[in-house]
Amino acid sequence: NVVIVKPGSTQRVGEAADAMAQLPDGFERHFVPDSPDVLFFTPLVAAGKSCRLTFKAPAEPGGYPFLCSFPGHWRAMRGILRVRK
């Protein structure tokens, strides 16, 4: 999946997603933490499948991190969405 988060929150959201592996409904919740740091997200998408995420970019220019919230994946599967004026 793809989870777009507030600047500076990658580790906090990633660790919260990791902790969701212990929850009985973590998978059904797509390992997306209930957090104000989460701006936009897709559900989990199986290999070979696709998903479209449509959203209005934040008004504030800057670097918005994105990550895969499947437990453990966020450490390697992440990047930055650049918002410019």
Side-chain angles (χ1 to χ4, degrees):
N1 68 347
V2 173
V3 181
I4 301 172
V5 300
K6 291 180 180 177
S9 67
T10 301
Q11 184 163 344
R12 184 170 46 251
V13 172
E15 289 174 353
D18 286 347
M20 292 181 75
Q22 304 301 315
L23 300 177
D25 66 344
F27 195 85
E28 289 87 15
R29 293 172 52 194
H30 306 282
F31 301 107
V32 177
D34 182 19
S35 167
D37 290 326
V38 174
L39 300 176
F40 312 102
F41 66 91
T42 67
L44 295 172
V45 180
K49 301 293 181 180
S50 64
C51 179
R52 181 181 298 232
L53 175 61
T54 303
F55 62 93
K56 184 174 180 179
E60 185 67 30
Y64 290 82
F66 63 87
L67 56 101
C68 174
S69 67
F70 192 86
H73 287 197
W74 68 273
R75 288 175 175 83
M77 297 174 68
R78 61 189 191 176
I80 302 288
L81 169 71
R82 302 270 179 215
V83 175
R84 300 186 178 162
K85 283 189 172 185

